[in-house]
Amino acid sequence: MGKEQELAVSAGGVVAGVVNTDPYTFMHDSYFGNGGYYSANYLVKHPRESAENYVNRQRVAYFLNYVKPCINAAVNPLFDDPPARTSALDDAYWTAFLKNVDGKNTSMDTFMKKAAKQAKIYGAMFIVVENYKDLPANKAQALAERKYPYLYTVKPQDVKEYALDKYGNLTLVRYDITYTEVVNMSKSDITESWTWTKEMWQVTRKGGTESGINSAGVVPVVPLLGAAVEDDMGDRLKPFSDFYQIARVNLAIYNACSELRERNRNQAFSVLVYQMSSDDPNPDNYASINIGTNNMLLYAGNNAPAFITPDNGPSEMLHTELKMLIEEIYRMADRAGVTGVQSQQSGIAKEWDNKTMMQSLSDFAQNCEETEQQIAVIFGNYIGKELGVNVQYSRNFGVVDISSELDKITDALSWAVGGKFDTAVKKKAAKMLLSDMDDEEIQAVIDDIDQQAVDANHAEPTNNAGDNGGVE
């Protein structure tokens, strides 16, 4: 290995440029800002760049993360209000399960929010509903010892094989899980390979293979997809993340920022040029002089000393490219109407942007609802009860521009339609203005508005003779 290769490797770099990573690792790095962004291996080495200069660029690289806020914006609004969950059967197991779904006191809300973000990052997440093999003799003991069905997630890259029937139902799934086992103060990583069918389960680990009857009666693995997938789009349960191309654009921004910073660091400062002595025009005599703001660039000629500055055209070109890439990220994320992009938009254009964003959020909310309801069915199969669970995620997404909405409300009341229309408009205004108050106080105001409408409907009309010209 030559000196340049040693320099690159010592700084965690690679001479050829970006390390080839699988899409799942790349998406993980793009969301969390680690991996190739932390080591700066995602910087592409220029063909004419020395290894030493490439290493220096890696040392001063910085990552502007646009993937994380885009993904968070596609998930967080679903959980601003807790999902409404109802069940036809009141069961102590199910009630306890919603408060502690994994044996680590994780609520269903927290678990689903984490799984939803992972589904957006990786394109899908697989939720396993497993039960204990040895159950206590009575329900009270099972509740006290937390011995009832529990959840854990499996990343799509760890799912090695699956099969679907003609209706799209899972009939087989095989995946690996890895954990750390500690014995006698020493730890070791253990990998288990699980296989589930509707009838059987099997697990292979260090020491042998174990199998048994699947008491759930169905494959107890529920895929949560990050977006709707068409049948002809390749792998139906392991699709690419919708944010993969956004992450690729973010990678381009990462490299463009490094190139712009490198140019500015090397050329942004003026250099003093100074005439060399005509008696000693040999440049070798001035080899020790470095070019910079504190030194001089010597030349042969008769011009007066002056400062020179490199042309800023290339920097402007990079800056324009960066601006374009950032705007494209927001457009691709369906967030152009709410991200503060500087280009002016008409009201209709904003409405279309918001409509697209709301539809995307609503579709994903439906995915989460169906996932939870499938979990409930499998849970009920384990305990031998049909729970009849229904889950409804809020569809009230986004940030409301209160000033704009109040203008609409004032305008609507000026139409003097009256009746139920005015009552509904007033109630909407009350909910908007009093959103920071307790629910009971808001409901009291709503009830008062309804009562005022009832009183107005039952009020006695006044009879004024002057209104009909005095005719009886």
Side-chain angles (χ1 to χ4, degrees):
M1 183 181 294
K3 180 180 179 181
E4 290 190 349
Q5 285 83 355
E6 291 177 358
L7 281 169
V9 172
S10 66
V14 289
V15 177
V18 178
V19 173
N20 291 323
T21 57
D22 65 87
Y24 298 119
T25 301
F26 176 65
M27 285 303 302
H28 178 277
D29 295 348
S30 297
Y31 181 83
F32 292 102
N34 53 13
Y37 292 107
Y38 175 77
S39 66
N41 284 355
Y42 285 153
L43 285 182
V44 180
K45 182 178 177 293
H46 193 276
R48 296 192 302 273
E49 184 176 25
S50 68
E52 184 175 5
N53 191 75
Y54 176 62
V55 168
N56 288 334
R57 270 208 305 134
Q58 288 181 309
R59 288 171 177 163
V60 297
Y62 58 93
F63 176 50
L64 301 177
N65 194 335
Y66 291 92
V67 174
K68 186 171 186 177
C70 285
I71 289 180
N72 288 348
V75 174
N76 290 345
L78 274 63
F79 296 89
D80 284 345
D81 297 319
R85 301 182 180 91
T86 59
S87 58
L89 185 65
D90 186 15
D91 182 78
Y93 280 136
W94 179 251
T95 301
F97 171 76
L98 292 178
K99 298 177 182 178
N100 181 5
V101 300
D102 58 359
K104 297 180 290 188
N105 291 317
T106 304
S107 68
M108 179 63 90
D109 287 352
T110 301
F111 182 90
M112 284 301 297
K113 185 174 183 179
K114 181 179 179 180
K117 285 187 178 179
Q118 291 175 317
K120 286 294 186 182
I121 294 171
Y122 300 117
M125 280 298 289
F126 292 79
I127 301 174
V128 182
V129 190
E130 194 174 340
N131 200 8
Y132 291 91
K133 306 301 182 290
D134 300 319
L135 298 175
N138 59 74
K139 192 171 187 177
Q141 183 181 355
L143 289 170
E145 296 179 4
R146 212 288 176 215
K147 289 294 183 69
Y148 48 86
Y150 58 93
L151 306 180
Y152 62 88
T153 57
V154 176
K155 296 177 182 178
Q157 55 266 45
D158 294 325
V159 174
K160 306 305 179 183
E161 184 182 6
Y162 70 85
L164 304 173
D165 62 18
K166 63 180 180 180
Y167 304 108
N169 300 311
L170 269 174
T171 55
L172 177 144
V173 64
R174 182 174 291 112
Y175 58 85
D176 293 342
I177 58 173
T178 302
Y179 57 92
T180 302
E181 186 177 65
V182 178
V183 178
N184 296 328
M185 303 296 288
S186 63
K187 64 179 184 178
S188 60
D189 291 335
I190 304 296
T191 297
E192 295 182 346
S193 180
W194 283 82
T195 303
W196 292 89
T197 66
K198 292 189 294 184
E199 297 82 16
M200 300 287 294
W201 59 266
Q202 177 180 288
V203 57
T204 301
R205 60 173 70 90
K206 183 176 64 176
T209 299
E210 182 183 0
S211 62
I213 302 298
N214 177 11
S215 59
V218 295
V219 176
V221 179
V222 184
L224 172 58
L225 301 182
V229 179
E230 301 296 334
D231 291 345
D232 58 350
M233 288 178 61
D235 201 330
R236 293 171 61 182
L237 298 189
K238 297 174 63 176
F240 264 24
S241 169
D242 274 5
F243 290 85
Y244 179 76
Q245 295 302 334
I246 291 176
R248 295 291 301 180
V249 176
N250 208 160
L251 176 63
I253 291 175
Y254 177 64
N255 275 273
C257 284
S258 176
E259 291 159 4
L260 179 61
R261 179 174 174 81
E262 176 72 2
R263 173 177 169 77
N264 289 345
R265 277 170 55 87
N266 290 339
Q267 298 184 340
F269 304 102
S270 298
V271 176
L272 176 63
V273 293
Y274 195 83
Q275 176 186 359
M276 292 189 299
S277 171
S278 58
D279 297 333
D280 189 13
N282 186 357
D284 294 337
N285 295 333
Y286 305 93
S288 62
I289 297 179
N290 295 321
I291 300 174
T293 54
N294 296 324
N295 295 288
M296 294 182 295
L297 174 62
L298 303 178
Y299 69 100
N302 298 319
N303 295 329
F307 281 99
I308 59 172
T309 302
D311 177 37
N312 65 349
S315 293
E316 290 295 327
M317 178 186 67
L318 286 169
H319 188 270
T320 301
E321 180 186 10
L322 279 170
K323 182 179 179 182
M324 180 272 292
L325 291 172
I326 293 169
E327 290 179 352
E328 281 301 300
I329 279 184
Y330 289 136
R331 182 192 63 79
M332 294 165 69
D334 292 333
R335 296 178 59 208
V338 293
T339 53
V341 175
Q342 296 301 312
S343 58
Q344 296 296 317
Q345 291 180 301
S346 67
I348 294 177
K350 288 182 179 179
E351 287 294 330
W352 275 111
D353 281 335
N354 287 333
K355 182 179 178 65
T356 302
M357 181 189 67
M358 296 302 177
Q359 186 60 54
S360 177
L361 289 169
S362 181
D363 290 345
F364 190 50
Q366 184 173 344
N367 284 6
C368 293
E369 291 169 356
E370 293 174 354
T371 298
E372 281 202 41
Q373 286 167 183
Q374 290 182 56
I375 289 172
V377 170
I378 297 171
F379 188 97
N381 291 350
Y382 276 128
I383 64 175
K385 294 181 180 180
E386 188 173 338
L387 298 173
V389 170
N390 182 64
V391 182
Q392 184 67 48
Y393 277 66
S394 172
R395 296 301 196 275
N396 183 25
F397 307 128
V399 178
V400 178
D401 184 347
I402 293 181
S403 298
S404 176
E405 290 298 315
L406 287 179
D407 287 343
K408 294 179 183 178
I409 290 171
T410 302
D411 187 40
L413 291 175
S414 70
W415 299 344
V417 175
K420 294 181 179 180
F421 178 82
D422 280 10
T423 301
V425 172
K426 291 176 182 177
K427 289 161 71 173
K428 181 178 180 180
K431 290 178 181 179
M432 191 178 305
L433 288 172
L434 307 178
S435 60
D436 58 340
M437 297 177 63
D438 294 336
D439 292 341
E440 294 181 359
E441 294 178 293
I442 296 175
Q443 188 58 48
V445 174
I446 299 300
D447 293 341
D448 185 57
I449 293 173
D450 286 333
Q451 186 60 47
Q452 290 180 33
V454 171
D455 294 342
N457 288 335
H458 290 84
E460 291 291 336
T462 57
N463 199 7
N464 190 337
D467 292 340
N468 55 14
V471 179
E472 294 291 336

